[in-house]
Amino acid sequence: MGILHEAYHKMRGGLARDRYDLYDYVRATAAKLAAFDSFYVGLLHGADRVRFPYGYEGGVFDDPTSHTYGPSGQTAWLVKNRQTYRFAYDNGAVLNAGISFGDTRRRSADAVTVPMFRTQQGSRDVLFGMVSMHSYTPGAFDDNAVRSFEWLAGLLARVLTREKEDTEAFLLLLPGGGVPRTLTSDHVMEHMAARLSEIHGLARRVVEDEGGERGAAEGIVRLCEQTQTELMEMALWADEGPEQRFLSLTEVEQRVAVLLVDGLGNRELAEETGRSPNTVKVHLKNIYRKYGMTTREQVAEDVRKHLSR
């Protein structure tokens, strides 16, 4: 209980500001609960994709990746059953039916995967991700370890949910009233430039042998891992953006936005929607505001991305 008590205070504090450090801490805490060989965090995206921004195999960082999942496999099982999956339920049949990660030459002999839920007012909780630990040793995870791991994953889900709610609350203060911020290439370039500057500084220390090569090299490795995790999270945000922006529109505004994809002018929009040209202009103004964009071409391209998913 002392381990989980410490995790509660650290994770509810400022640790959530850096996703990589947060996931890294959850892995380190889970390792105190039970010995495992593989660990990963997965985040659902859309109707059939799951992104893995953070994973470890044999104590080594595993490159972030994303997959499309089908009707079988562990992710589909979690979506259907909405409860923790344990290897013992079916001797790993569901686990082995899905896409492997980590060392694909070996099969797990025990595994626990806990779904993460986000509370949604007026409807049942939304499944948005999972946390999983695997072992090549049979019977590695007893009931106590599983219950503790479920509590830890639940805490991670609450921290991530609170972070999302805090972000949405902040966006309400911005022009546009709570419209999801558009992640642009400029944001990615600025972030990567800052990260590469840090890595470059550490690399120079290695070359010039200032401050000890090992410490600088370890710093480079950690910054690379951190950047990989951040980029996968950015991809999730960027891919969700078109859907979130479209859903922020009213029903009539959605219809206008879809018609923009076909290149219709204001008069044609008025004819198709049965509204006056002045009303169409009001709808367009609201769409621009909610999208944080200034031209119909920008909106049309964003709507096209949503419709093509």
Side-chain angles (χ1 to χ4, degrees):
M1 290 299 293
I3 295 171
L4 298 181
H5 188 270
E6 179 184 357
Y8 175 83
H9 289 288
K10 285 193 175 182
M11 290 172 63
R12 295 287 290 185
L15 189 61
R17 297 182 185 280
D18 188 310
R19 287 288 185 87
Y20 175 85
D21 285 345
L22 177 61
Y23 298 150
D24 212 42
Y25 181 78
V26 172
R27 176 178 64 89
T29 302
K32 298 176 182 178
L33 304 174
F36 53 78
D37 296 297
S38 304
F39 176 94
Y40 72 79
V41 176
L43 301 174
L44 297 181
H45 167 220
D48 61 355
R49 289 189 67 79
V50 56
R51 296 188 181 275
F52 302 100
Y54 180 94
Y56 258 76
E57 165 72 26
V60 178
F61 184 76
D62 198 19
D63 289 338
T65 185
S66 63
H67 298 291
T68 299
Y69 64 88
S72 59
Q74 186 175 229
T75 302
W77 190 95
L78 291 173
V79 171
K80 178 182 178 181
N81 293 282
R82 298 172 61 83
Q83 67 179 49
T84 296
Y85 171 78
R86 297 182 64 173
F87 187 94
Y89 289 165
D90 57 4
N91 199 33
V94 164
L95 180 67
N96 294 324
I99 297 173
S100 300
F101 76 100
D103 189 347
T104 57
R105 298 167 300 178
R106 308 175 68 183
R107 283 196 170 188
S108 298
D110 201 1
V112 178
T113 303
V114 182
M116 292 193 292
F117 295 96
R118 178 178 293 122
T119 300
Q120 182 167 289
Q121 189 173 6
S123 62
R124 70 174 183 171
D125 293 348
V126 176
L127 174 66
F128 73 91
M130 68 202 74
V131 189
S132 186
M133 57 181 180
H134 297 226
S135 174
Y136 298 125
T137 303
F141 310 124
D142 61 22
D143 291 344
N144 287 332
V146 172
R147 283 193 292 269
S148 297
F149 190 52
E150 286 178 324
W151 186 91
L152 183 62
L155 177 60
L156 175 61
R158 291 193 296 275
V159 170
L160 294 178
T161 297
R162 186 185 66 179
E163 179 190 70
K164 183 176 186 294
E165 291 172 348
D166 288 347
T167 299
E168 291 173 348
F170 173 73
L171 290 174
L172 287 171
L173 301 176
L174 302 178
V179 180
R181 188 181 72 182
T182 304
L183 181 64
T184 67
S185 58
D186 287 341
H187 294 133
V188 177
M189 290 297 294
E190 290 172 6
H191 179 77
M192 285 302 299
R195 277 283 179 258
L196 288 173
S197 177
E198 293 180 75
I199 294 172
H200 180 260
L202 290 172
R204 285 190 63 85
R205 282 178 51 188
V206 174
V207 173
E208 298 172 0
D209 193 24
E210 294 180 1
E213 292 186 8
R214 182 175 179 82
E218 290 175 345
I220 291 173
V221 170
R222 185 171 183 82
L223 274 174
C224 287
E225 294 175 357
Q226 183 177 0
T227 303
Q228 286 178 280
T229 294
E230 290 167 344
L231 287 176
M232 182 58 72
E233 300 259 357
M234 281 184 173
L236 182 66
W237 188 351
D239 288 344
E240 286 184 337
E243 179 182 17
Q244 292 178 0
R245 284 186 284 277
F246 187 79
L247 293 177
S248 72
L249 304 178
T250 66
E251 186 175 342
V252 176
E253 290 167 356
Q254 287 180 356
R255 188 177 179 191
V256 172
V258 170
L259 292 172
L260 288 178
V261 175
D262 296 327
L264 273 61
N266 285 11
R267 181 175 298 177
E268 295 168 308
L269 289 173
E271 293 175 355
E272 288 290 332
T273 59
R275 265 69 176 178
S276 70
N278 286 336
T279 300
V280 167
K281 289 181 181 179
V282 173
H283 288 319
L284 287 173
K285 183 179 179 181
N286 290 336
I287 292 171
Y288 295 151
R289 175 179 59 81
K290 292 180 178 180
Y291 268 61
M293 298 176 182
T294 57
T295 69
R296 61 205 306 136
E297 291 77 16
Q298 290 174 325
V299 172
E301 178 60 26
D302 201 72
V303 174
R304 190 176 292 111
K305 291 178 182 177
H306 167 64
L307 296 177
S308 65
R309 287 180 52 190

